[in-house]
Amino acid sequence: MSEDLITVTRPSLPDLEKLQPLLEEIWKSGRLTNGGRFHEELEARLCDYLGVEYLSLFTNGTIALVTALQAMGVTGEVITTPYTFAATPHALLWNKLKPVFVDIEPDGFNMDASKIEAAITPETTAILPVHCYGTPANVSEIQRIADLHGLHVIYDAAHAFAVRHKHSSLLDAGDISVLSFHATKVFNTFEGGALILKDKETKQRVDYLKNFGFANETTVVAPGINGKMNEFQAALGLLQLDKIDEDILARRRVYRKYQAALAGIAGLKLMDEPLDTQWNYSYCPVLVQDEFPVSRDELYDDFRERRILVRRYFYPLVSDFPMYFDSSAFYKCASSVAERILCLPIYSDLSEQDFARIIECLNDVVDKSTGRYRGKE
Ligand code: T4K
């Protein structure tokens, strides 16, 4: 019998006994969406948990990002990173904005702030950095540049739920931060997302924008969209929130086991935990270096043959997608990382057995290359 599939991530199970009464309450109230009681409660509890003042829930992170750009009135060109998920630049195209990519840091995964100023033109109105894998972008330097040039900063914080940096929420950086609550994220509502906002007026505007622009029954103040989170999603969020600290701690235990196990394998470099940061252990990114006996893609295939679905987040670079490709541009650091990255499975209930299967695969690859392998071919 073939072994169970191990996926790169898996949603943590909420207390299902608590779900039934919540569902009954939703049905009894008759309000399934459009700002019901669970929506309001989740907004309040998330503000409290994340340590932010204003938050607006969304049906997913991508619509939240599209709406954030609308809310800030961003036009023309936006400086962003090529090392991200498709949603980041796609949100720009959906707003008829031009992404201008700058490379990532030589020793990291986030936008290289020292490259931003050279990319600014008279058309630039905003910077859209990503806190890749939940590791903080260089927020102080990005803000300094933005202030100097009068630019908006919208953070794609899809990976950065609950991350704190230098003792405050990372989500406080910039004008707006965008969260994703997709099934694959540390905190999920099946699909979902949120915007973290700086003031009451922007929160009000965003709330109108996600509800077609309705300010009341007869007044439409902007060409809004339908970005509302429904009551079922919100109820799931409340259940997830009850155990989020436990989930993050469990992820941390898994990450630290990887640190110990990978320390003995030459040619595999697990990302260091970010400094001065209370991180969320959302991803487990490893760089497969030249000393490793096989290439990243061979290792990826080996894992897949053993039903372990590791992922190459983020390969290919979004700047190589046909709608963004520019043959005159080359992002040296991002390209090098995209060729070497492999994200290993991490989730709160990754079992000892499954962890052992993952490490066994790595050890077997090394042993095969040194002729020490004694397992089944
Ligand atoms: N910005 C950034 C930087 C992002 O990374 C994302 C999303 C966004 C913006 C947009 O946020 P949302 O609009 O999604 O809220 C996945 C996710 O779909 C996507 O949310 C995420 N980033 C991206 C990094 O990963 P795929 O194409 O890799 O998904 P998929 O279906 O291949 O799933 C990956 C693995 O996760 C599967 O092998 C199994 C596991 N999985 C997946 C699903 C859907 C589960 O265990 N349960 C599930 O329900 O994009």
Side-chain angles (χ1 to χ4, degrees), residues 81-117:
T81 167
Y83 192 74
T84 184
F85 188 61
T88 315
H90 285 357
L92 296 173
L93 283 204
W94 276 69
N95 276 299
K96 303 218 176 334
L97 300 166
K98 182 179 172 201
V100 174
F101 298 108
V102 299
D103 206 353
I104 59 171
E105 292 158 343
D107 299 317
F109 302 99
N110 287 325
M111 179 188 280
D112 185 343
S114 72
K115 296 216 157 61
I116 293 175
E117 282 189 295

Side-chain angles (χ1 to χ4, degrees), residues 7-11 60-63 65 84-85 87-88 130 156 158-159 179-185 191-193 283 309 311 313-314:
T7 48
V8 69
T9 183
R10 201 163 69 187
N60 63 54
T62 305
I63 295 289
L65 184 48
T84 184
F85 188 61
T88 315
V130 177
D156 182 334
H159 304 173
L179 287 169
S180 164
F181 304 153
H182 182 261
T184 54
K185 299 295 190 289
E191 292 272 2
Y283 290 84
L309 304 187
R311 292 297 291 261
Y313 292 133
F314 290 103

Side-chain angles (χ1 to χ4, degrees), residues 18 40 61 67 88 92-93 128 178 259-260 278 283 291 306:
K18 288 190 189 164
E40 301 306 293
T67 307
T88 315
L92 296 173
L93 283 204
L128 174 57
V178 184
Q259 283 175 333
Q278 193 178 314
Y283 290 84
E291 310 92 278
R306 294 171 189 235

